[in-house]
Amino acid sequence: MYQATFNEKWLYKAKELNDYAVTHFYDAKSGMFFYTHNNHSNLIARKMEVADNVIPSSNSEMARNLFFLGLYFDNADYSQKSKQMLTNVQKDIHNDIQYYSNWGRLEMLFIKQPFEIAIVGPDFENARKAFDKKYLPNAIFLGGKTEGTLALLEGKLNKGETFIYICQNKSCQRPTTDIGEAMKQLK
């Protein structure tokens, strides 16, 4: 929702839910998430869902959540947990990708860090919509009318103009006001 609206409330809600899951479902010993709440730790067995099936496994989704929230919030703990989870199933991914496709998508994000596309200024909505016309699976979007609270947006607002910043690994190319130029920077 945040990427579609640039309303930070959605990003902070995702962080809140993520932190709840870490507190109540995360197993520090294995570096993975149980399928059941820690209030039910007296069960005979607490399962961990790892292999993707018709829908992605809960652990592959949590690993992706941690990856993206780690980018947005510049949170090394989230990123490290995501990387550890991926490392835990790396052999399985390479042996049986059909059962680990969501994990494979995460592995690609670690291999080629996604672009961070920051759009800041009064016309951010129209600039954001222009990017919707392209398929950009290796990009996250952030921005708004103001800089907001995210570290990657700090110092990017230029009063009266809407600038687009194409960044990767928190390192940004020259800002532009032109969508076409921004698209070229993605190549």
Side-chain angles (χ1 to χ4, degrees), residues 10 17 25 27 43-44 60 63 77 99 116 158 177 181-182 186:
W10 300 115
L17 292 169
F25 294 84
D27 177 42
L43 294 171
I44 293 171
S60 68
D77 182 55
Y99 298 109
E116 301 137 350
N158 193 347
T177 58
E181 176 60 31
L186 288 169

Side-chain angles (χ1 to χ4, degrees), residues 9-127:
K9 80 175 182 180
W10 300 115
L11 199 54
Y12 281 96
K13 184 64 176 175
K15 183 182 183 308
E16 178 187 326
L17 292 169
N18 181 79
D19 290 345
Y20 183 88
V22 170
T23 300
H24 297 288
F25 294 84
Y26 185 70
D27 177 42
K29 185 177 175 185
S30 69
M32 302 297 264
F33 287 81
F34 286 111
Y35 196 69
T36 53
H37 195 284
N38 61 355
N39 285 349
H40 305 290
S41 59
N42 60 349
L43 294 171
I44 293 171
R46 287 180 73 197
K47 293 176 70 175
M48 287 184 188
E49 186 184 62
V50 178
D52 296 325
N53 204 321
V54 175
I55 59 172
S57 71
S58 53
N59 269 288
S60 68
E61 274 303 302
M62 279 306 301
R64 286 175 52 83
N65 292 342
L66 287 162
F67 177 86
F68 288 117
L69 289 172
L71 286 177
Y72 279 113
F73 290 105
D74 195 20
N75 186 312
D77 182 55
Y78 290 170
S79 299
Q80 185 278 326
K81 279 180 172 61
S82 178
K83 179 71 172 170
Q84 182 59 55
M85 293 173 76
L86 180 64
T87 300
N88 291 349
V89 296
Q90 197 110 46
K91 186 190 258 184
D92 296 320
I93 294 169
H94 294 255
N95 289 337
D96 281 318
I97 189 65
Q98 67 270 24
Y99 298 109
Y100 295 87
S101 57
N102 204 41
W103 290 104
R105 291 175 59 213
L106 176 63
E107 184 175 41
M108 291 303 299
L109 292 169
F110 274 104
I111 291 169
K112 184 168 178 8
Q113 281 286 313
F115 288 101
E116 301 137 350
I117 302 173
I119 306 167
V120 184
D123 198 28
F124 75 93
E125 289 178 288
N126 287 328

